[in-house]
Amino acid sequence: TMSTAVAKWGGDYPHVLAGAQFDRKSLEGLIALASKIKSDMKHFQDSAPLKGKILALMFYEPSTRTSSSFHCAMLRLGGQVLSIKDTKTSSVAKGETLEDTVRTLESYCDGIVLRHPEKGSALRASKVLKCPLFNAGDGAGEHPTQALLDMFTIYSELGTVDGLTITMLGDLKHGRTVHSLANTLSHFKVKLNYVSPDFLKMPDYVKKIVGERKVEQKEYENLDTILKDTDVLYVTRVQKERFTGPNGKAEYEKAQGAYVITPDLMEKLQAKKKMIVMHPLPRVGEIDPALDSDPRAAYFREMRCGMIMRMALLLTAMG
């Protein structure tokens, strides 16, 4: 996989390509900087540390959340943004290689955010660049800034990562957010629970990496016995398009219905008073909107933390 080929992040290697680039030390450094930005946003905006710098957003796939988040992160640091959305009518459509496209952009800009449908594309692009490249998703590969913002959200909400029990729920087989997050969390002293239908389990390769770091992992088919000990419930959507096969529709409805988080469920299964519910969003029915007003519902604060963590990354790589 691409992770093995990627250098450690920091110093003279500014590209953010894969979760595996970050060790405990660099994660703690980013969390500390993000915390500083969060507590003193006005100072960072007024001092405009990235004034005069331009960030290119190059999205070969639609994205509202990630592109808006990077865009606003750059603006808040005093920088400017070049946004390229319509790759269908550009030179890309004329058959230009990804390498040539990013090298051209590098001659105009100081950093590039790339989302591309092909696994490994971000690593490929980074090899021809000197300016920092931020991978905003490469197909089924990686989405490293999501794992970083999730780590920061947990820290920001609960004050620590060590000692927590994190329960991941939903489609753990296809969800790249949970793959990256499990990998990143395993640098800390955590316990991980994986809750999914039998055919949507966390992949073995992820469990192997986590296991090598001596982190306890357990698999369950429901939340019944474990919600009461959970500090972070990380909910993902069960994606309809994954259910092919003759009983697809029935299986999808069963799987989707099995994992809906409601205020009643939280009470019935005795969720802690001090815990959080997270979701990478968009959600399609996995969390009842009735839960939104519960102080434990952290998913919109998670979006804010995402922009702040991206500010910390941009500042470190381009400042």
Side-chain angles (χ1 to χ4, degrees):
T1 62
M2 89 181 254
S3 308
T4 52
V6 180
K8 283 261 179 280
W9 185 72
D12 43 11
Y13 193 83
H15 307 304
V16 177
L17 305 174
Q21 291 176 267
F22 297 90
D23 55 16
R24 181 161 180 147
K25 193 167 170 263
S26 57
L27 289 165
E28 286 178 333
L30 279 167
I31 287 170
L33 177 56
S35 303
K36 228 158 124 178
I37 295 170
K38 185 169 188 262
S39 62
D40 201 358
M41 179 67 80
K42 190 175 175 342
H43 163 75
F44 283 89
Q45 289 195 196
D46 291 348
S47 62
L50 296 186
K51 189 175 195 293
K53 298 274 171 88
I54 300 173
L55 180 68
L57 302 181
M58 183 81 190
F59 282 76
Y60 286 77
E61 284 184 322
S63 156
T64 309
R65 227 168 299 276
T66 306
S67 66
S68 310
S69 177
F70 267 111
H71 195 138
C72 292
M74 187 63 177
L75 296 181
R76 283 178 187 273
L77 292 168
Q80 289 177 296
V81 176
L82 168 69
S83 186
I84 300 159
K85 291 226 169 42
D86 197 6
T87 51
K88 298 204 177 27
T89 57
S90 69
S91 302
V92 174
K94 301 174 193 145
E96 183 176 54
T97 65
L98 177 62
E99 287 86 343
D100 284 6
T101 304
V102 295
R103 284 190 74 170
T104 303
L105 278 179
E106 181 180 38
S107 61
Y108 312 146
C109 300
D110 306 284
I112 299 172
V113 180
L114 177 72
R115 169 169 290 184
H116 192 281
E118 190 188 316
K119 194 173 176 171
S121 53
L123 178 63
R124 232 177 64 217
S126 72
K127 288 183 169 161
V128 299
L129 292 174
K130 289 183 183 63
C131 81
L133 180 80
F134 304 89
N135 179 7
D138 60 330
E142 293 259 356
H143 189 4
T145 62
Q146 178 73 46
L148 295 171
L149 77 86
D150 287 334
M151 294 295 291
F152 175 51
T153 305
I154 294 168
Y155 179 84
S156 172
E157 293 279 327
L158 299 172
T160 182
V161 178
D162 283 323
L164 300 180
T165 297
I166 292 110
T167 299
M168 300 183 189
L169 175 78
D171 180 352
L172 305 184
K173 183 178 174 181
H174 305 100
R176 64 184 170 192
T177 55
V178 286
H179 303 168
S180 298
L181 183 59
N183 189 339
T184 308
L185 278 167
S186 62
H187 290 293
F188 293 81
K189 296 177 179 65
V190 293
K191 279 186 188 164
L192 299 178
N193 295 322
Y194 305 138
V195 182
S196 68
D198 191 42
F199 55 97
L200 294 176
K201 283 174 142 169
M202 185 66 87
D204 289 335
Y205 84 90
V206 178
K207 291 188 286 199
K208 187 172 174 281
I209 294 167
V210 172
E212 281 164 3
R213 297 191 184 133
K214 307 282 183 276
V215 165
E216 186 185 316
Q217 322 172 69
K218 288 188 177 156
E219 295 184 306
Y220 299 88
E221 293 224 334
N222 58 55
L223 286 168
D224 297 0
T225 56
I226 56 169
L227 187 59
K228 64 180 192 304
D229 300 316
T230 295
D231 299 297
V232 177
L233 178 61
Y234 193 92
V235 184
T236 65
R237 72 194 155 109
V238 176
Q239 296 169 334
K240 198 171 188 171
E241 59 273 21
R242 307 295 183 194
F243 290 77
T244 50
N247 310 323
K249 192 169 184 287
E251 280 181 354
Y252 167 70
E253 281 162 7
K254 186 178 162 214
Q256 199 202 22
Y259 302 116
V260 177
I261 307 303
T262 62
D264 286 350
L265 183 82
M266 295 278 284
E267 196 176 341
K268 191 179 111 199
L269 300 183
Q270 303 171 323
K272 294 179 180 187
K273 288 280 167 276
K274 190 180 182 210
M275 58 84 73
I276 56 171
V277 179
M278 294 174 64
H279 191 304
L281 300 182
R283 62 172 161 181
V284 284
E286 310 83 18
I287 299 177
D288 182 343
L291 193 73
D292 296 358
S293 56
D294 187 312
R296 294 170 293 188
Y299 25 95
F300 291 107
R301 298 193 295 274
E302 185 180 345
M303 297 301 114
R304 174 86 178 167
C305 285
M307 180 190 68
I308 293 168
M309 176 51 90
R310 289 176 176 126
M311 287 174 73
L313 284 166
L314 292 172
L315 191 53
T316 309
M318 296 170 68

